[in-house]
Amino acid sequence: MISQLSWKVGGQQGEGIESTGEIFSIALNRLGYYLYGYRHFSSRIKGGHTNNKIRVSTTQVRSIADDLDILVAFDQESIDFNFHELRDGGIVIADSKFNPTIPEGSNVTLYAVPFTDIATNLGTSLMKNMVAVGASSAVLDLDIGVYQEVVEEIFGRKGQQVVEKNMEAIRAGAQFMKEQLGDSIQTMKLEKADGKKRMYMIGNDAIALGALAGGARFMAAYPITPASEIMEYLIKKLPALGGAVIQTEDEIAACTMAIGANYAGVRTLTASAGPGLSLMMEAIGLAGITETPVVIVDTQRGGPSTGLPTKQEQSDLMAIIYGTHGEIPKIVMAPSTVQEAFYDMVEAFNLAEEYQCPVIVLSDLQLSLGKQTVEPLEYDKIEIRRGKLVKGELPQLENKGYFKRYEVTEDGISPRVLPGMPNGIHHVTGVEHDETGKPSEVAANRKTQMDKRLRKLKHVRFNTPVHKNVKHEEADLLIIGFNSTRGAIEEAIGRLELDGLKVNHAHIRLIHPFPTEEVSPLVQSAKKVVVVEHNATGQLANLLKMNVGHADKIYSVLKYDGNPFLPHEVHTKCKELFQ
Amino acid sequence: MATFKDFRNNVKPNWCPGCGDFSVQAAIQRAAANVGLEPHQLAVISGIGCSGRISGYIHSYGFHGIHGRALPIAQGVKMANRDLTVIAAGGDGDGFAIGMGHTIHAIRRNIDITYIVMDNQIYGLTKGQTSPRSDVGFKTKSTPQGSVEPALSIMEMALSAGATFVAQSFSSDLKELTHLIEEGIKHKGFSLINVFSPCVTYNKVNTYDWFKENLVNLSTIEGYDPSDRDIAMQTLMKHKGLVTGLIYQNKEQKSYQDLIHGYSETPLAHADLQLSKEKFDELISEFM
């Protein structure tokens, strides 16, 4: 019996690889296993190798596994491309149709299963993925009955006959595989899971759901990988709440439309990836100087330019913080798990209105598209705070005076009224302006208004600016990361501790303004600091040096080949520092 | 009831004496009062350039954004609060050069806002460069040998893009301009009003006199029918776009807000932000 295994399905894009992984993982989720799924795909619709790697465990997992137990292959390329990941004793289950072969001399067993033939005999070769699901389940010794519900949900609208045929395909695959396995069936039998109901979702689902829970009722966005799922979810859900999503002509329109809607009082977001964020920079500056709340999601991918559009990277960090010309108040958050992505989105809308500034929620491809098991989200934790939004009646303005929308206050935050309110008339402009919003180039006013705007960020209240796992007062090593690297870092820390090192972990969740007070003591009490990040220049490490100092003991572990960190990579690189 | 004086504020425009934009300012103020608006019910969203300053010269809510982006901001405002009257305004550079992508898509999206372009065929605030509306041969600082790029036929372009309200006017004709803005505000959908608004400082060719000589008012064309798109297109081509009046209006087409599924009939800005527990549980269960 094992408590954890890693399974991968590979084939040509557009061949149903997705649904094989979907059905397999949904069933496992219903049984109460913790899952982590990551897709390898390319920027094309049909053809080209694609795979979906799923880790199954009886405890929470947040990283891709180092190796592979089971590879399901629909073509020889899938074997050739992924074989190196298989551990000693691993197995390949491949469609016998293409006469699969594996390299000689390896300690891996190949099972050729007639996926296509079994499916064709049952009615259509399209069901070959179901045969593969059945075969996989036999290896894990799963009760096939769990698929009944899942298959009904997916194929129910096509009729009971289709449901039954698909179930037959699963059963046939399982039966064939059982006979092949014979006595070796016990080697990958999974321990029973707790059977608890949990959510299984990608980061983008959580971001979109968090936006809904956070009161967003409008979205303006332009499609882009890996952000589109956010708008697609909201297109499905917002109409029932009276809201809408507009697919704009470009990202500039998306951002400025979101600014217009927020100015007029609706919580509105836009979401994009690096290329879109580059186009939004001028608009973000406008939101900054006009003190208009707006929430922008950046799902980072490989850059620059079109870069690696379907691959993991974390290289937008500096651009997001400093990309806008001029200086504005801006909040940048970076959730590291799907749960955090949900709660952070709710909070992003609160902070945007409380501090009246743009809030950028950073994600990365691995967090946005990686699918993970999520402990129940709590309704009672959802809180809506609208800051200094003025409600109720306003005193009459004398002599066509304007409402002091940019009144200089101690905390820098001014009362905010929405267009449509009687006696709230004021001007809004991206030109430097006075307290009523009227353009002003007066030197003293410029300084007063700049100071007022920037003062707002002096005391940003964010519940957990740093996720900390600090077990040691004095540590040999402090590992720092942000966004999706959390899982790989956590696993690496477990192994480093077994190696005898004292390791602390700080995952930065509030990127800007940088939580110096929280991070500084951790850096001071560590002999060495390693910043793990997916870029080539060590952007977070530089940010750390800038804010905390101690450049002489800060090291970088970088990966920018498009693939997410594996735990063993972080482990090995960190260990090298102590040899 | 508000009068046009209630839409005046105490800011002195920084436009040159004689600038065509003064009339546009006055026409918006009159039209707003004539259709029965109170100042707080109007939001003027403008772009960048001399004309972009107009949102600061009208006593109403005003948003002076970034160059070329008045339309997406204005559409966002309208989507957030459908009870507001939203006027977007800017120059020909703003709308037909840097913002052209937004103009075409705002036309085809047909959200119920009014877009007033102050078209002076030149870049004024940057001190005299060519515009997409400058004629071939027009000499400017950026085209010292004369422009070789043809001027955009903007009214024809609007018709091609599926506009439901297309009008053109001239700063000197305050009465007609005011009337057209009123009609634009009343129109249920996107209304485009291009106004020839002479730049007295940098455009010495397309002057008030030049327009008086060259413009043809559609009321002088016998039997002109603004509901006929074919005739509108033919007339524009025949007169090289130099016509004034209501060129085309489609009263049948519903606005974007009335077409999209589920969109709230009351302003979204007044919506309750809290999800009900029941709705939350329903959404959560879909991921289990």
Side-chain angles (χ1 to χ4, degrees):
Chain A
M1 294 267 264
I2 53 172
S3 61
Q4 196 176 109
L5 71 75
S6 178
W7 175 93
K8 184 185 260 192
V9 59
Q12 290 291 300
Q13 224 154 259
E15 206 183 29
I17 304 308
E18 261 310 288
S19 60
T20 313
E22 268 304 287
I23 291 164
F24 185 58
S25 55
I26 290 173
L28 287 161
N29 179 58
R30 300 252 168 109
L31 290 169
Y33 291 102
Y34 287 87
L35 305 168
Y36 187 89
Y38 187 77
R39 285 162 58 208
H40 167 101
F41 65 110
S42 303
S43 196
R44 58 195 276 187
I45 305 302
K46 295 257 180 196
H49 175 69
T50 181
N51 68 59
N52 192 352
K53 190 172 182 182
I54 295 166
R55 197 168 177 194
V56 190
S57 172
T58 51
T59 52
Q60 179 88 59
V61 276
R62 290 202 182 96
S63 165
I64 300 165
D66 287 316
D67 54 16
L68 192 57
D69 297 289
I70 303 166
L71 173 65
V72 176
F74 282 96
D75 57 11
Q76 186 62 39
E77 188 186 356
S78 295
I79 299 177
D80 300 342
F81 190 85
N82 300 294
F83 193 81
H84 68 279
E85 285 184 31
L86 281 156
R87 67 167 170 85
D88 258 15
I91 66 170
V92 176
I93 311 171
D95 195 345
S96 55
K97 188 186 167 196
F98 63 89
N99 299 319
T101 57
I102 60 171
E104 276 174 35
S106 63
N107 186 22
V108 168
T109 315
L110 168 69
Y111 295 95
V113 178
F115 295 160
T116 307
D117 290 347
I118 292 176
T120 307
N121 287 338
L122 286 171
T124 166
S125 66
L126 287 175
M127 294 189 300
K128 64 185 177 182
N129 52 357
M130 294 298 175
V131 180
V133 166
S136 301
S137 304
V139 181
L140 275 58
D141 199 20
L142 296 181
D143 175 10
I144 298 300
V146 68
Y147 290 103
Q148 187 72 39
E149 191 181 76
V150 184
V151 170
E152 268 173 24
E153 280 166 30
I154 296 172
F155 298 106
R157 60 190 167 86
K158 292 185 181 173
Q160 197 50 41
Q161 206 188 345
V162 177
V163 172
E164 205 24 62
K165 283 280 177 205
N166 277 281
M167 281 306 296
E168 256 182 67
I170 294 174
R171 277 193 291 268
Q175 188 54 38
F176 188 94
M177 194 65 204
K178 259 185 199 158
E179 286 160 18
Q180 298 289 303
L181 287 165
D183 294 340
S184 56
I185 193 157
Q186 291 296 321
T187 59
M188 289 195 198
K189 190 177 161 78
L190 260 184
E191 272 176 27
K192 272 231 167 351
D194 61 11
K196 276 196 187 145
K197 265 199 163 187
R198 295 185 186 88
M199 301 169 80
Y200 179 50
M201 64 205 300
I202 60 171
N204 280 350
D205 292 332
I207 288 169
L209 186 60
L212 274 189
R217 295 295 176 265
F218 184 50
M219 178 183 195
Y222 188 83
I224 190 169
T225 304
S228 298
E229 293 80 6
I230 301 167
M231 72 185 285
E232 286 163 7
Y233 181 81
L234 291 173
I235 285 166
K236 277 186 265 174
K237 300 300 176 192
L238 272 174
L241 294 162
V245 178
I246 291 187
Q247 180 179 327
T248 53
E249 54 274 20
D250 58 32
E251 289 92 342
I252 298 174
C255 193
T256 46
M257 200 179 282
I259 289 168
N262 274 293
Y263 155 71
V266 173
R267 287 191 164 187
T268 303
L269 74 155
T270 185
S272 189
L277 264 291
S278 291
L279 290 178
M280 292 179 193
M281 284 300 164
E282 189 189 12
I284 293 170
L286 175 73
I289 192 170
T290 60
E291 307 195 42
T292 309
V294 63
V295 174
I296 300 163
V297 179
D298 174 24
T299 59
Q300 301 172 88
R301 65 185 211 186
S305 185
T306 306
L308 292 171
T310 61
K311 301 285 181 277
Q312 163 70 356
E313 205 164 278
Q314 301 177 320
S315 54
D316 295 355
L317 199 60
M318 287 297 182
I320 291 302
I321 303 172
Y322 300 110
T324 314
H325 68 274
E327 296 156 305
I328 58 162
K330 181 196 278 175
I331 295 170
V332 183
M333 297 155 65
S336 60
T337 67
V338 169
Q339 276 102 321
E340 286 177 7
F342 172 81
Y343 293 117
D344 280 7
M345 281 303 289
V346 178
E347 199 56 11
F349 285 99
N350 288 334
L351 296 179
E353 285 205 299
E354 285 181 317
Y355 295 94
Q356 300 175 11
C357 72
V359 175
I360 300 177
V361 180
L362 271 185
S363 177
D364 56 26
L365 186 134
Q366 190 186 353
L367 176 61
S368 274
L369 299 186
K371 205 163 179 176
Q372 46 181 290
T373 302
V374 179
E375 296 291 355
L377 300 170
E378 293 171 54
Y379 181 75
D380 293 339
K381 279 194 185 169
I382 301 167
E383 184 194 11
I384 307 280
R385 306 188 308 270
R386 305 201 69 180
K388 291 192 188 175
L389 182 67
V390 176
K391 288 166 198 155
E393 298 211 350
L394 293 166
Q396 194 140 11
L397 297 166
E398 296 300 322
N399 287 329
K400 293 192 180 168
Y402 276 179
F403 178 83
K404 282 191 179 176
R405 169 69 185 90
Y406 303 105
E407 188 181 351
V408 176
T409 58
E410 204 183 323
D411 60 6
I413 304 165
S414 317
R416 175 171 160 246
V417 294
L418 304 177
M421 284 180 75
N423 303 310
I425 286 180
H426 60 275
H427 192 50
V428 175
T429 173
V431 173
E432 188 57 272
H433 44 262
D434 65 16
E435 286 186 302
T436 66
K438 286 180 189 162
S440 167
E441 291 182 346
V442 175
N445 174 74
R446 160 67 170 180
K447 189 170 180 309
T448 306
Q449 284 292 325
M450 275 298 277
D451 291 346
K452 164 210 172 330
R453 286 191 294 268
L454 295 174
R455 191 159 67 235
K456 294 194 290 187
L457 292 193
K458 284 259 163 71
H459 306 285
V460 172
R461 290 180 311 272
F462 183 65
N463 50 11
T464 318
V466 182
H467 164 81
K468 285 182 269 191
N469 181 8
V470 177
K471 288 198 205 115
H472 313 283
E473 263 179 50
E474 302 286 321
D476 297 311
L477 178 64
L478 168 68
I479 303 186
I480 293 180
F482 73 111
N483 277 150
S484 67
T485 51
R486 180 157 148 192
I489 292 173
E490 282 173 347
E491 288 187 39
I493 288 174
R495 296 176 205 180
L496 289 162
E497 295 256 333
L498 288 177
D499 293 335
L501 289 170
K502 291 179 183 166
V503 189
N504 286 336
H505 179 195
H507 224 67
I508 313 294
R509 292 186 50 199
L510 180 65
I511 300 281
H512 186 81
F514 195 82
T516 306
E517 280 175 27
E518 299 254 352
V519 179
S520 199
L522 300 179
V523 171
Q524 278 168 28
S525 63
K527 290 194 186 97
K528 287 179 179 179
V529 178
V530 164
V531 183
V532 175
E533 53 188 317
H534 279 292
N535 57 58
T537 54
Q539 297 186 29
L540 182 62
N542 286 332
L543 209 56
L544 185 68
K545 290 171 192 169
M546 215 170 92
N547 287 287
V548 178
H550 297 283
D552 55 333
K553 65 175 175 185
I554 295 174
Y555 302 84
S556 280
V557 169
L558 306 173
K559 189 173 184 187
Y560 43 94
D561 64 0
N563 297 310
F565 274 112
L566 298 174
H568 81 87
E569 294 169 334
V570 178
H571 174 221
T572 311
K573 294 277 183 192
C574 288
K575 210 174 159 187
E576 279 170 10
L577 286 177
F578 292 91
Q579 280 162 354
Chain B
M1 245 204 18
T3 71
F4 72 93
K5 286 180 184 167
D6 293 310
F7 289 89
R8 286 183 181 163
N9 66 7
N10 42 30
V11 182
K12 188 177 172 292
N14 60 3
W15 295 323
C16 306
C19 176
D21 295 351
F22 284 105
S23 308
V24 180
Q25 177 198 14
I28 292 174
Q29 290 162 338
R30 282 161 196 260
N34 291 350
V35 299
L37 291 173
E38 295 294 327
H40 68 270
Q41 296 170 323
L42 173 66
V44 181
I45 315 299
S46 61
I48 298 297
C50 294
S51 55
R53 288 295 183 109
I54 199 163
S55 58
Y57 304 151
I58 290 168
H59 190 68
S60 71
Y61 280 94
F63 195 119
H64 177 226
I66 44 177
H67 196 26
R69 321 299 170 199
L71 281 175
I73 296 172
Q75 292 170 87
V77 172
K78 186 69 184 183
M79 287 302 291
N81 189 341
R82 62 192 302 170
D83 284 356
L84 279 175
T85 294
V86 179
I87 292 177
D92 45 318
D94 206 67
F96 306 141
I98 186 167
M100 184 54 135
H102 307 310
T103 302
I104 288 182
H105 290 281
I107 289 171
R108 46 180 290 269
R109 197 170 286 129
N110 201 34
I111 290 176
D112 186 11
I113 62 174
T114 299
Y115 184 33
I116 300 169
V117 182
M118 286 152 270
D119 181 1
N120 58 10
Q121 292 124 304
I122 186 97
Y123 277 55
L125 201 55
T126 48
K127 301 193 190 320
Q129 296 84 15
T130 188
S131 126
R133 291 282 289 152
S134 301
D135 286 326
V136 169
F138 188 59
K139 287 187 179 171
T140 67
K141 278 184 190 147
S142 58
T143 52
Q145 308 298 318
S147 173
V148 296
E149 298 171 44
L152 267 169
S153 303
I154 208 69
M155 296 286 95
E156 289 96 314
M157 189 258 346
L159 287 177
S160 306
T164 56
F165 184 106
V166 183
Q168 194 156 252
S169 193
F170 176 36
S171 283
S172 288
D173 193 346
L174 183 59
K175 198 176 155 201
E176 186 203 46
L177 179 55
T178 304
H179 172 70
L180 287 172
I181 294 173
E182 285 170 34
E183 292 303 308
I185 292 172
K186 286 190 245 167
H187 177 72
K188 299 281 174 231
F190 186 83
S191 45
L192 172 64
I193 304 167
N194 191 59
V195 186
F196 293 113
S197 179
C199 173
V200 293
T201 304
Y202 293 109
N203 193 335
K204 304 295 187 192
V205 176
N206 309 104
T207 60
Y208 283 97
D209 287 342
W210 186 90
F211 282 113
K212 274 174 195 152
E213 249 170 62
N214 287 284
L215 287 176
V216 176
N217 194 288
L218 291 173
S219 64
T220 63
I221 299 174
E222 205 176 321
Y224 186 81
D225 177 5
S227 70
D228 189 325
R229 194 161 169 255
D230 286 356
I231 289 179
M233 191 65 104
Q234 283 167 24
T235 308
L236 282 167
M237 291 175 84
K238 183 176 167 196
H239 296 282
K240 298 191 170 62
L242 292 170
V243 299
T244 56
L246 176 60
I247 296 167
Y248 177 69
Q249 184 175 17
N250 177 348
K251 291 182 178 172
E252 308 302 315
Q253 179 63 35
K254 283 186 177 167
S255 72
Y256 182 88
Q257 301 103 292
D258 289 332
L259 283 173
I260 56 168
H261 161 69
Y263 180 61
S264 172
E265 284 176 21
T266 54
L268 266 186
H270 303 163
D272 181 11
L273 302 187
Q274 192 83 42
L275 281 184
S276 68
K277 176 81 167 70
E278 191 187 9
K279 182 75 188 170
F280 179 76
D281 289 342
E282 176 199 319
L283 293 168
I284 293 288
S285 69
E286 291 171 0
F287 293 102
M288 287 185 174

